[in-house]
């Protein structure tokens, strides 16, 4: 079946502009994650959605970052007033979910190809 | 201290050799573990999941040592295509996923 898709694949923007990144999770996956990965570094958790529960926003680096998700479908990550330090690959992942009593496989994450953001 | 620690490498290994690297975790309540591989400029891909003492899939074996709080990944008969960064992930009792920064592996002909 179809995997996680993200768009755009590349985005070049000028400092101060807003950008919107999109993620389409695997159908049936209730959990959706956004990560940031700077060049040569590890994954940095940003935000997590699980069904209709309140999202876990603990990883968002500033109030310029926000994300939305409609039900168990598409999610958008918005970065307002972009800064050069925002340049990174933004990765989206989905999993079946995250719930007590479920087998660990429930939490296996599958990633989209990412959006490479360059802020000039 | 980082919750999940990995030797960043790089590990330079000749083709055909066996290589192993470890991942240590600080939360003794961690329940499950995952190994992902990430190729240069690509997204991470799930390699193996570990829910009990270990797992084996072809040339790849993961071993969990709960007493010492580490999980290892062993690659036998390494191939050039195994060159990648290997990411270790732990899942704690709250189902939070904690990512290591990765170990870079280079297989040389």
């Amino acid at each position: 079946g179809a995997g996680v898709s993200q768009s755009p694949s590349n985005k070049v923007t000028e400092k101060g502009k807003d950008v919107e990144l999109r993620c389409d999770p695997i159908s049936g996956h209730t959990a959706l994650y956004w990560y940031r990965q700077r060049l040569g570094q590890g994954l940095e958790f940003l935000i997590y959605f699980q069904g209709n529960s309140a999202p876990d926003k603990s990883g968002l680096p500033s109030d310029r970052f926000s994300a939305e998700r409609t039900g168990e479908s598409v999610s958008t990550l918005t970065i307002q007033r972009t800064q050069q330090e925002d340049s990174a690959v933004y990765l989206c992942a989905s999993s079946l979910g995250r719930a007590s009593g479920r087998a660990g496989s429930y939490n296996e994450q599958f990633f989209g190809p990412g959006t490479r953001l360059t802020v000039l | 201290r980082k919750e999940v620690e990995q030797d960043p490498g790089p590990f330079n290994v000749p083709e055909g050799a066996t290589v192993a690297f470890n991942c240590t975790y600080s939360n003794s309540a961690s329940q499950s573990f995952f190994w992902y591989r990430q190729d240069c400029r690509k997204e991470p891909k799930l390699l193996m999941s570990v829910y009990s003492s270990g797992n084996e899939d072809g040339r790849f074996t993961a071993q969990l040592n709960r007493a010492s709080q580490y999980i290892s990944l062993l690659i036998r008969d390494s191939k050039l295509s195994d060159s990648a960064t290997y990411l270790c992930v732990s899942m704690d009792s709250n189902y939070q996923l904690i990512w290591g920064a990765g170990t870079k592996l280079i297989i040389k002909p």
Side-chain angles (χ1 to χ4, degrees):
Chain A
V4 178
S5 61
Q6 291 186 247
S7 61
S9 55
N10 282 283
K11 177 71 176 178
V12 180
T13 190
E14 293 179 347
K15 179 180 172 180
K17 300 281 190 186
D18 297 351
V19 295
E20 190 173 278
L21 312 180
R22 176 186 169 111
C23 172
D24 277 277
I26 293 172
S27 178
H29 280 194
T30 64
L32 186 147
Y33 303 78
W34 282 99
Y35 294 91
R36 178 170 70 179
Q37 188 172 33
R38 292 196 169 104
L39 188 63
Q41 298 189 19
L43 295 176
E44 180 185 0
F45 166 76
L46 297 177
I47 189 169
Y48 157 73
F49 295 90
Q50 170 68 61
N52 293 317
S53 302
D56 176 357
K57 303 180 182 180
S58 59
L60 294 179
S62 77
D63 59 7
R64 296 187 296 105
F65 288 72
S66 63
E68 292 184 351
R69 187 183 186 195
T70 307
E72 295 181 355
S73 60
V74 172
S75 175
T76 55
L77 175 70
T78 302
I79 309 173
Q80 295 178 309
R81 305 182 301 283
T82 52
Q83 304 294 312
Q84 289 182 330
E85 69 209 39
D86 299 333
S87 295
V89 175
Y90 289 82
L91 291 159
C92 174
S94 70
S95 68
L96 281 170
R98 181 202 284 183
S100 174
R102 297 283 187 170
S105 61
Y106 209 65
N107 301 283
E108 291 171 357
Q109 294 185 20
F110 297 87
F111 284 82
T115 293
R116 186 172 301 277
L117 176 65
T118 303
V119 182
L120 302 176
Chain B
R1 181 186 170 186
K2 292 181 184 176
E3 295 190 51
V4 174
E5 292 200 57
Q6 297 184 252
D7 183 334
F11 284 54
N12 290 284
V13 175
E15 189 177 9
T18 295
V19 60
F21 29 84
N22 288 341
C23 164
T24 58
Y25 60 95
S26 60
N27 186 348
S28 60
S30 295
Q31 296 185 337
S32 304
F33 302 86
F34 307 92
W35 281 103
Y36 282 77
R37 69 168 282 165
Q38 186 173 26
D39 294 284
C40 188
R41 301 175 76 87
K42 296 286 189 181
E43 74 274 20
K45 290 189 190 300
L46 181 64
L47 177 66
M48 188 172 290
S49 305
V50 182
Y51 308 118
S52 56
S53 60
N55 196 1
E56 184 172 334
D57 183 3
R59 298 183 294 109
F60 297 83
T61 301
Q63 291 274 340
L64 174 61
N65 185 318
R66 288 195 185 274
S68 301
Q69 293 186 204
Y70 73 86
I71 183 164
S72 63
L73 179 67
L74 179 84
I75 306 174
R76 289 180 295 276
D77 186 24
S78 52
K79 313 289 185 191
L80 295 176
S81 58
D82 294 334
S83 296
T85 295
Y86 289 82
L87 303 169
C88 173
V89 191
S90 74
M91 187 178 73
D92 66 18
S93 55
N94 294 319
Y95 299 88
Q96 295 274 357
L97 292 161
I98 312 296
W99 290 77
T103 295
K104 186 170 184 177
L105 174 65
I106 300 171
I107 306 298
K108 296 184 177 293

